[in-house]
């Protein structure tokens, strides 16, 4: 599966989005459980299906771009507020970064590691290994990049996060952790 993802990571983003959108609609059409939950969650949020219908394809697009985010070349990233990190490092403090999960985390973590970590130590993030062996291997390659260190979502991992902060390094947390 790693080989397939590496090949997919080389495709143009437009093509990955098109394939992902088709995959999103295929899953919606073929999975009664997913379809039912999608509609229930939309209703709980107060939206009729007609208003959230485009989200079916967008969820697929997000999944479709993961090979590129996980294994492809780092995309260009611009952000505001990087000077806040510089000030924290200048004071010898660690930096805590909070980010949404899929997509945003992959881009933000890679960009931060590329920009800051060569000078300030690795970027340490909590990481829950996948249950499936093939996915565990894939995510290991995706998350263990230059200047990034993934630690387990257990007490040992939490201790490593605290130690990284005390050393003045950056750590990353996701909302589900």
């Amino acid at each position: 599966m790693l080989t397939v993802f590496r090949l997919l990571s080389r495709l143009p983003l437009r093509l990955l989005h098109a394939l992902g959108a088709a995959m999103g609609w295929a899953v919606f059409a073929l999975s009664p459980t997913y379809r039912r939950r999608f509609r229930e969650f939309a209703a709980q949020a107060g939206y009729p299906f007609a208003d959230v219908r485009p989200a079916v394809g967008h969820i697929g697009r997000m999944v479709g771009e993961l090979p590129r985010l996980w294994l492809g070349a780092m995309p260009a990233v611009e952000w505001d507020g990087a000077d806040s990190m510089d000030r924290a490092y200048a004071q010898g403090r660690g930096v805590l970064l909070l980010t949404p999960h899929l997509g945003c985390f992959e881009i933000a973590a890679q960009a931060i590691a590329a920009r800051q970590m060569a000078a300030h130590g690795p970027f340490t993030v909590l990481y829950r290994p996948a249950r499936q062996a093939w996915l565990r291997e894939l995510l290991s390659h995706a998350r263990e990049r230059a200047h990034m260190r993934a630690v387990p979502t257990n007490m040992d991992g939490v201790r490593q996060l605290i130690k990284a902060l005390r050393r003045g390094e950056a750590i990353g947390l996701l909302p589900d952790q």
Side-chain angles (χ1 to χ4, degrees):
M1 190 55 97
L2 183 58
T3 303
V4 171
F5 265 68
R6 281 199 173 126
L7 291 172
L8 288 171
S9 75
R10 294 183 177 140
L11 294 177
L13 192 55
R14 277 184 184 256
L15 180 55
L16 290 173
H17 281 163
L19 293 171
M23 182 176 56
W25 278 104
V27 170
F28 187 83
L30 297 173
S31 173
T33 303
Y34 176 73
R35 189 171 49 252
R36 179 181 45 79
R37 286 183 180 162
F38 186 96
R39 289 176 181 265
E40 285 175 1
F41 292 153
Q44 285 176 4
Y47 293 104
F49 179 70
D51 288 353
V52 297
R53 189 176 191 278
V56 173
H58 286 289
I59 291 168
R61 284 185 181 106
M62 182 180 69
V63 173
E65 69 189 11
L66 287 177
R68 184 123 181 228
L69 292 173
W70 284 346
L71 302 172
M74 175 64 195
V77 174
E78 295 179 27
W79 66 70
D80 294 326
D83 57 322
S84 299
M85 289 180 68
D86 295 333
R87 284 194 305 274
Y89 283 127
Q91 296 172 11
R93 294 185 180 169
V95 177
L96 170 62
L97 298 149
L98 304 172
T99 174
H101 209 147
L102 292 178
C104 187
F105 168 77
E106 280 77 9
I107 291 173
Q110 291 175 48
I112 290 165
R115 182 182 187 274
Q116 298 279 357
M117 302 310 130
H120 302 291
F123 181 36
T124 305
V125 296
L126 280 177
Y127 167 67
R128 181 177 32 229
R131 293 183 185 130
Q132 299 90 356
W134 69 269
L135 187 56
R136 194 169 36 251
E137 177 189 8
L138 176 63
L139 289 175
S140 174
H141 283 281
R143 300 258 162 92
E144 289 283 343
R145 291 189 170 212
H147 307 297
M148 291 182 61
R149 180 177 45 173
V151 298
T153 53
N154 58 29
M155 284 309 294
D156 183 52
V158 171
R159 281 191 278 279
Q160 290 181 58
L161 288 177
I162 292 168
K163 288 178 183 178
L165 279 175
R166 288 182 178 153
R167 288 189 303 266
E169 297 170 0
I171 66 167
L173 295 176
L174 302 170
D176 62 340
Q177 297 172 335

